[in-house]
Amino acid sequence: MTMDPLDKLVAMANQIARNLAHDDDPAGATAAHIATYWSPRMRAQIAACEGEGLTEVSRDAIARLGVRHAD
Amino acid sequence: MGYERQADFGTPEVHGDHHVTCTIDGRAVTVPAGTSVMRAAALAGGSIPKLCASDNLKAFGSCRLCLVEIEGMRGTPASCTTPVAEGMKVQTQTPRLQKLRRGVMELYISDHPLDCLTCSANNDCELQDQAAAVGLRDVRYGYEGETHLGAAIDTSNPYFDFDPSKCIACSRCVRACDEVQGTLALTIEGRGFASKVSAGLAGEDFFSSECVSCGACVQACPTATLQEKAVKDIGKPERAVVTTCAYCGVGCTFRAEMRGEQLVRMIPWKDGKANHGHSCVKGRFAWGYAQHADRILSPMIRDAIDQPWREVSWEEALSYTARRLQELRERHGRNALGGITSSRCTNEETFLVQKLVRAGFGTNNVDTCARVCHSPTGYGLKTTFGTSAGTQDFDSVDDSDVILVIGANPTDAHPVFASRMKRRIRGKDGRPGARLIVIDPRRTDLVRSPHIAADLHLPLRPGTNVAVLTAMAHVIVIEGLADEEFIRARCDWEEYRHWADFVAIDRNSPEVLAEVTGVTPQDVRAAARLYATGGNAAIYYGLGVTEHSQGSSTVMAIANLAMATGNIGRRGVGVNPLRGQNNVQGACDMGSFPHELSGYRHVSDAATRALFEAEWGVPIDPEPGLRIPNMLDAAVEGAFKALYIQGEDILQSDPDTRHVAAGLAAMELVIVHDLFLNETANYAHVFLPGSTFLEKDGTFTNAERRIQRVRKVMEPRNGLADWEVTQELARAMGLGWNYTHPSQIMDEIARLTPTFSGVNYARLDAEGSLQWPVNAAAPDGSPIMHVDGFVRGKGRFVVTDYVPTDERTGPRFPLLLTTGRILSQYNVGAQTRRTANAMWHGEDVLEIHPTDAENRGLQDGDWVRLASRSGETTLRAKVTERVAPGVVYTTFHHPETQANVVTTDFSDWATNCPEYKVTAVQVSPSNGPSDWQADYAEQARRSRRIELHRAEPAE
């Protein structure tokens, strides 16, 4: 049941967003998490997918990528 | 210095502030009150004859040899059971005592064979020593009376023999099994002269008994009654070197007892701070893999994986590898390269591999096997407490009143610590035992075994850890059991309120969540109350916590519970991840993760990078690299081309085998650096032979952050220690590395890592071990963390909402598979399968509940097909009530089974740690191996071919 790599990145982003839903700023926390742990290539790939399959929060997070939280 | 047994002071050490002074044979000695006369005499440099006493067992007072005379006391009391008193005057060697002792000894010897010269314990036998000490010259009773001589030897255990004719019925083995190991497998059968040691029921030999082969009885035996087969074969050792075991994360210290270059036996070292003289079947006995015929000792290369291997010199292998790495970097860029460090190798070796990747390859694409086990621990504990490590030392458990074990099976996976934990649960000398809560889908041995019973077992549905822990938090908050004073002082109060409000809502009650967890709400409530109010409460957890889609959330939920109840920052409490492999903690500490440098500092931190750049003289990429699953994905997409894997078998250990295979097959250069042609090597182009832990110097860091020395006891059979292999590869790539000893690598680690700044080999050798952080703030190391404040400042409560995994059961896959380990095997089994441990576990089996088995027409021992959405395999069924209906369980020790063909590529949301513990499966009858297994076996056979002779080059 191996997923297509891009679908997998989308699923991962959605999963992160869902688990950070209780943060004060879920999209910001999701963006910070992705910036901290994902390689630039993975970030570029998901940024290029133009939001397809992303939930509202993760789409917002991807849009804000590149902004690193102070933490 | 020649071979000598470790000193035995006769009775256990007593701790206490109150000291008393007595004189023994005229010599004054001051000892803690409660110390036995026997121990005091030994500390004063004397030696009272003894046979039934040993300093890792409670005094027993049966052998009648240790009699002494005490001024003002009548008779001749036994020195092992008599505590010293202030001003006491003791005589240990008088004519009266000598006569008594000779009489006793005479009786022993009248029923003991006198084949000393040909006995395997000759010159290493306490009975022999004591006969000499008491000056026994004659046995008046003769040897013709009724004796136990000539009894049959039990050779059933692969590692030791039991020869009852040499037994003196001192009970040391029985007591070691009870007190040290806690298995209670041995007993004294019969009474009086008919007394004999028996392994369980009549007619049971050692192998078929409940004996777990920990070796405690063999170590305790004062004669050759219980003797290692290796000593019988080889003879008495001639030297001993103290080193650290390379199996699990407990990190037991052993004396490797040697004869020349040959290891005779591994004896647990009593001064080892992790194991205090105890061991398990793996560390004690399962080291034969080091000499196994399968071990590869020459480097090998091949251009394509369908070709046979070609043995080459080290020079050729290294220059070939370096050239190909450089070509691939030029063609595809530095980020097409990467490496995997090993949790089985030393800190120094791990550090060098990540240094090679970051400084040599020029990328942060480095990861470690902790990705697939404890990466959520790293994320979860760093987020809540501020650093990625367990909070306690192992000794802390002695002060616990409540022990909560979740997602861990320590009696199989961390047996030496489990024995310690069980001792605390049983209680001692009138002190009540600790209460025990087990949260696990299976009824593990801890739930019920001799003299151990969990107060509460919460058999949750796999994948619902967060729900159970949130329900416990709900009870603690709603019932006012939180330690608000601790929280106000130590944690962020606003974050606590936010969390408390969340857990308090109705949908987080045990009653509502029972729907998903399957756990009786009353039991969750009882567990919460016991944990919060039972005194010092400690949580121990394992991979049943981390290897889930909410692994990181579960770790944080555990940290939340500990903070909410004030169970952090002192002995007896804390959050304790039990690490799977020997150096998981160390590999994580050493900067093996793609996003951080050693000491858990993110690569984006310019000040940290500057430190490394100055030391290494190259720029460090400020962006995180690829994790193992990301590397495999990138390889399938064609963007990742070369991987250097040290001491790790990702094809067998990582989930979704087909995906791993596809990723490896897509790479142009796979370099496997290992002892054996493991499963991953089927896809490799370069094989660099590795060295065992016996063949190199270095350090391992265990689950309690304890840094311990690994010492070379024999020359590397492959010619180079692993750190030297990595160094030679770096040099072949043009890096000017010139380490001549691993201590220099540790010095570099200490220069670059604030938590290690006080660590060096001189101190480790002098002090035995150090627990990081060791620095100006904690010069002697840190047995307990977060004592006065959390590493991050204020402890942080994080809301952990239960998010169900995407892996769901349904009509096609109605059962949940969860995976784990068994005592006799270790991880992928590469080492333990190549020892006699295979006798206990020759294949992986599928545990299935009788109801599920009956519904499928399955009987115990039947071949079954185990299928998931990812793949299928076949194995034999074991019908057992240890698993709940709806849950099946297997181990992943054997490549023939390939349990990971079945597991999915779902993973932890924060770390991509694979979700091994939950896979929806179907089980059905089968006739034998699946097509995958047959194809795989054939492919493995073909890919392991080694060209016997190098073909002559064409004219």
Side-chain angles (χ1 to χ4, degrees), chain A residues 8 15 19 36 43 45, chain B residues 550 602 623 633 637 801 907:
Chain A
K8 197 145 114 186
Q15 196 189 0
N19 276 279
T36 304
R43 300 201 305 261
Q45 279 177 302
Chain B
Q550 279 202 294
H602 200 271
E623 291 287 354
D633 289 341
E637 294 172 88
D801 196 5
S907 65

Side-chain angles (χ1 to χ4, degrees), chain A residues 1-3 5 8 12 15-16 18-20 22-23 33 35-43 45 68, chain B residues 379 498 502 550 595 602 623-624 626-627 630 633 637 639 656 659 801 869-870 905 907 909-910 912:
Chain A
M1 201 189 37
T2 305
M3 272 189 271
K8 197 145 114 186
M12 279 161 58
Q15 196 189 0
I16 294 165
R18 199 166 168 200
N19 276 279
L20 293 172
H22 290 267
D23 196 275
H33 187 96
T36 304
Y37 296 105
W38 288 23
S39 73
R41 184 171 175 275
M42 292 163 70
R43 300 201 305 261
Q45 279 177 302
R68 186 185 294 284
Chain B
Y379 179 87
H498 179 56
F502 169 78
Q550 279 202 294
H595 66 280
H602 200 271
E623 291 287 354
L626 297 166
R627 300 170 283 195
N630 312 142
D633 289 341
E637 294 172 88
D656 195 356
H659 180 54
D801 196 5
R869 295 181 182 93
S870 285
D905 71 356
S907 65
W909 66 271
N912 275 166

Side-chain angles (χ1 to χ4, degrees), chain A residues 23-33 35-36 64 66-71, chain B residues 604:
Chain A
D23 196 275
D24 291 342
D25 173 12
T30 303
H33 187 96
T36 304
R64 286 156 70 172
V67 183
R68 186 185 294 284
H69 272 213
D71 193 5
Chain B
S604 63

Side-chain angles (χ1 to χ4, degrees), chain B residues 814-830:
Chain B
L815 303 172
L816 284 179
L817 168 75
T818 184
T819 61
R821 299 176 181 211
I822 201 160
L823 172 67
S824 57
Q825 299 284 353
Y826 176 71
N827 202 269
V828 294

